[in-house]
Amino acid sequence: MTIRRIVAPAVIVTVSAIVVSPAAPVAAQHQAAATARPCPTVEAPSRPAGMPSPPPVDPTNGAVGGTALGTAGLVVPADTPKAPAVTATSWVVADLASGRVLGGCGPHQHRTPASVQKLLLAAALLPRLDPTKVVEVTREDLDDLDPASSLMGVVAGGRYTVKELWLGLLLQSGNDAANVLARIGGGSAGREGGVQVMNEEARRLRANQTHAVTPSGLDGTGQYTSAYDLALIARATFARDDFRRYIATRTAHLPSGPGRSALALTGDETLLGTYPGMLGGKTGFTDLARQTYVGVAERDGRRLAVTLLGAETAPLGSLGEAAALLNWGFALAPDDAVGHLVAPEQAKKDKDKRVVVAGDDKAGAGAGSGSLVPVAVGTVAALLTVLVGVLAGWRRAGRRVAG
């Protein structure tokens, strides 16, 4: 086994070469030695007092994707261009196609997500919800939302397709859309059930530093993620054709309908159309999280994701810092890496695929909250019926032979 040396401030540690995951191959012979040191930072004009104190990182979780990633500082391949200085307190640049992690700052450190958590909602519920299904918004979906927060603009009693809600979630960062999607995706458990599905999806993706409390990313006690986990989540979402279509949409016009007015949705400024090869991105901001961002760009056959947390509006803002980190990533050789994105738990994924919300153009809110498992239940019932018939036939045949 090849032995690599990881250089940290004032200490030299010898570690084994990164283990290669079948779904995230990293050519060990091209693996550059990585150097861990303090992250290059730009001093922010001001940071608010009372920032949250994140829980410590479990050493086992900190080693996910490679031991070099278990640092609170900078980890980059040796003898590569200098990483840009940013205000973000943690970040990762990864190649989604190969699974190589090109570099990062505190990759596994707990941070507050803000609206980039909506990508976890998409990863969890896109496979479960029929986009043609029509659902009715309830008063409870909206009661706990600040009217000044990011909203799609749905109204109680209005009826919207799931596809329209996804567009509102990803274009307008609609917290109202997040609440509705989580409710219908949570089945009889409602919104809380949807959040539970999000956390189950995080575990399936092996995003061990992620715990959702709200579906929208609005702050909640005990809600955290990490830059590495967001790269895993981005890999899952950008692998889906439907997600890529939604996230690449610039504008959408939703016609008026029963109990609702027409809505004009315009995508947040996420580098789409301004950064070369940008496939789409998601911004976030709360007072606690500061600026957060996840974006993916494709160039020369490489699909790179950048995830950053805890950025400030000046001097570059999250978008400027994301562009600088992507430029740095594309400047590296394709084989440069300090770790890899781990593969999800396949067995649980296969199980989840069997749980699908059937489309129903006449369905309202009640149908949405109670129809998570009818397809699976019906399938099981049909199989049991066939089995009973087969066993009865065997018994009759046995009697005839015995007689």
Side-chain angles (χ1 to χ4, degrees):
M1 178 176 289
T2 306
I3 301 299
R4 304 294 183 194
R5 305 183 75 195
I6 307 299
V7 183
V11 64
I12 297 178
V13 184
T14 301
V15 297
S16 297
I18 291 173
V19 177
V20 179
S21 163
V26 178
Q29 65 271 26
H30 298 296
Q31 182 78 27
T35 358
R37 53 184 181 271
C39 299
T41 59
V42 173
E43 186 61 32
S46 64
R47 290 190 186 273
M51 296 294 287
S53 298
V57 178
D58 181 275
T60 301
N61 291 334
V64 172
T67 54
L69 302 179
T71 174
L74 178 74
V75 56
V76 296
D79 303 321
T80 55
K82 183 178 179 181
V86 294
T87 64
T89 56
S90 62
W91 56 265
V92 157
V93 177
D95 188 320
L96 297 188
S98 68
R100 294 182 176 90
V101 176
L102 307 186
C105 167
H108 285 293
Q109 297 299 300
H110 290 96
R111 295 290 184 267
T112 309
S115 280
V116 294
Q117 182 149 289
K118 291 180 171 75
L119 298 189
L120 178 58
L121 180 69
L125 296 185
L126 272 172
R128 290 173 167 246
L129 302 181
D130 183 337
T132 65
K133 181 177 177 65
V134 177
V135 296
E136 184 174 319
V137 175
T138 68
R139 175 55 57 190
E140 290 74 19
D141 292 327
L142 311 176
D143 276 347
D144 60 343
L145 294 176
D146 183 345
S149 70
S150 297
L151 300 173
M152 171 187 176
V154 299
V155 294
R159 293 156 67 82
Y160 306 84
T161 66
V162 167
K163 176 182 178 180
E164 290 173 330
L165 293 170
W166 285 124
L167 288 170
L169 181 90
L170 296 172
L171 271 69
Q172 298 278 144
S173 197
N175 298 326
D176 47 358
N179 283 356
V180 179
L181 288 165
R183 171 173 61 81
I184 64 175
S188 59
R191 189 195 307 180
E192 292 74 17
V195 173
Q196 180 179 346
V197 174
M198 292 170 67
N199 286 319
E200 290 172 354
E201 178 67 3
R203 300 289 79 77
R204 186 188 76 81
L205 294 175
R206 300 167 69 186
N208 300 330
Q209 308 302 123
T210 295
H211 179 70
V213 175
T214 67
S216 60
L218 288 172
D219 294 327
T221 304
Q223 180 164 271
Y224 293 102
T225 190
S226 72
Y228 179 87
D229 284 6
L230 288 174
L232 296 178
I233 295 166
R235 196 182 198 192
T237 52
F238 276 87
R240 296 185 59 92
D241 292 339
D242 50 1
F243 179 84
R244 292 197 305 274
R245 286 195 301 270
Y246 292 141
I247 203 72
T249 302
R250 307 285 186 88
T251 60
H253 181 268
L254 310 187
S256 59
R260 57 177 258 189
S261 301
L263 291 175
L265 306 179
T266 303
D268 289 342
E269 175 53 47
T270 59
L271 298 180
L272 189 65
T274 60
Y275 186 85
M278 199 70 197
L279 300 181
K282 184 74 195 72
T283 59
F285 177 84
T286 68
D287 289 338
L288 290 180
R290 313 310 296 157
Q291 290 193 346
T292 63
Y293 181 76
V294 175
V296 175
E298 194 166 57
R299 194 184 303 170
D300 299 326
R302 303 172 70 189
R303 181 175 289 185
L304 299 190
V306 58
T307 66
L308 59 86
L309 297 158
E312 297 296 332
T313 56
L316 295 177
S318 62
L319 298 181
E321 294 184 2
L325 289 168
L326 283 171
N327 288 340
W328 173 80
F330 280 116
L332 300 185
D335 290 335
D336 283 335
V338 296
H340 64 278
L341 299 178
V342 293
E345 297 176 1
Q346 189 65 35
K348 187 174 181 182
K349 179 180 180 181
D350 292 342
K351 176 184 176 183
D352 287 346
K353 282 182 178 178
R354 296 196 294 269
V355 184
V356 181
V357 174
D360 181 0
D361 291 339
K362 298 179 181 178
S369 62
S371 56
L372 255 183
V373 294
V375 174
V377 172
T379 301
V380 171
L383 290 173
L384 287 175
T385 300
V386 172
L387 182 59
V388 169
V390 170
L391 289 174
W394 284 347
R395 289 194 187 99
R396 288 191 296 269
R399 292 191 192 100
R400 288 194 295 269
V401 171

